[in-house]
Amino acid sequence: MSWHYVENGQQKGPVQDVDIERLIAAGAIGPETLVWREGMADWQAYREVSAPSVRGIPTDTSGARAASAGAFCGQCGRLFAPEDMLRFEGAYVCAACKPAFFQRLKEGSHFATARNYAGFKIRLGAKLIDYVILWVAQMAFALLIAVFFRQASSSTIAAQIPLMLMQLLFAAAYTCWFLVKFGATPGKMACGLKVITAEGGPITFGRALGRHFAEFLSGMILAIGYIMAAFDKEKRSLHDRICNTRVVRA
Ligand SMILES: [Zn+2]
């Protein structure tokens, strides 16, 4: 079965199943790379095709071989070829995560807690950094709008509502773009944190957006949704529970 994929905005291929593994190892195909093969209605991110639960994709033997071409490290969430990883109790661990993983195992932590979940305090720190970045960006944006609207019209109130909507949209775009692209917002990156799914994979745009709005809920109830992370075994906040995500130390 031959595949096509998109690299730097250009369609590449056809390549065979065996080539896919080589391309993953070379870094040309990652979890977010769009791939297509005959029989698929549309291009899909590689991670969706490699998931067994994808609807509409025949699970013939060649499909099964492609599905085994890559797996996500349960610790850092990056995609690797399975033969480059260690399999432990049904989960994969990549070479880079192996030493820390075994160190934690030796210290007696159970596999469920062997993942290095990020605690409430470091996450609060990351949140504050993101707030400052967003605040500065939004102030600069508001200033630009104010200057523009003063010249265009005398009504500043008319500019307030679209401005607020723009700021909401900007915050959502900031969070989602960074989470999908890097698995972390700049604040989380600065604190060495990463958001992953419960299975250890990267989070999709839909999940990132859902998580962003679920966070409003966490904040609304006197920030109890955030504080929940301090008392959870897997350090989940309310929005982590809603979206089935985890925050780990990258
Ligand atoms: Zn890893």
Side-chain angles (χ1 to χ4, degrees), residues 73 75-76 80 94 97:
C73 168
Q75 305 288 303
C76 66
F80 295 95
C94 79
C97 295

Side-chain angles (χ1 to χ4, degrees), residues 40-217:
M40 280 169 63
D42 206 350
W43 291 77
Q44 279 184 295
Y46 179 70
R47 82 186 133 64
E48 292 175 70
V49 181
S50 60
S53 59
V54 183
R55 269 174 297 171
I57 293 179
T59 50
D60 57 359
T61 47
S62 61
R65 258 171 57 216
S68 71
F72 297 109
C73 168
Q75 305 288 303
C76 66
R78 281 185 298 214
L79 185 73
F80 295 95
E83 59 267 29
D84 295 337
M85 291 197 286
L86 173 88
R87 214 181 155 91
F88 188 87
E89 290 185 4
Y92 285 105
V93 183
C94 79
C97 295
K98 218 185 277 182
F101 176 77
F102 274 114
Q103 186 56 36
R104 285 196 294 276
L105 271 188
K106 237 188 338 206
E107 286 161 3
S109 51
H110 182 258
F111 180 66
T113 54
R115 206 185 256 167
N116 203 351
Y117 293 113
F120 174 73
K121 272 182 275 182
I122 184 86
R123 288 176 61 171
L124 183 67
K127 189 99 272 177
L128 288 176
I129 295 171
D130 281 329
Y131 266 127
V132 170
I133 293 170
L134 273 172
W135 185 79
V136 169
Q138 288 177 341
M139 285 307 268
F141 185 70
L143 213 70
L144 269 172
I145 293 286
V147 168
F148 176 77
F149 271 83
R150 196 155 298 162
Q151 286 168 352
S153 112
S154 58
S155 161
T156 48
I157 292 162
Q160 288 301 306
I161 292 164
L163 181 65
M164 274 167 64
L165 285 174
M166 286 295 277
Q167 288 180 335
L168 265 176
L169 227 102
F170 184 78
Y174 168 92
T175 307
C176 295
W177 189 80
F178 278 108
L179 280 186
V180 171
K181 187 104 178 126
F182 301 106
T185 56
K188 283 194 168 69
M189 280 187 240
C191 296
L193 308 181
K194 195 173 173 181
V195 184
I196 58 174
T197 65
E199 296 77 33
I203 71 173
T204 58
F205 180 80
R207 199 185 292 259
L209 192 67
R211 192 175 183 276
H212 180 71
F213 287 107
E215 246 194 88
F216 288 172
L217 213 64

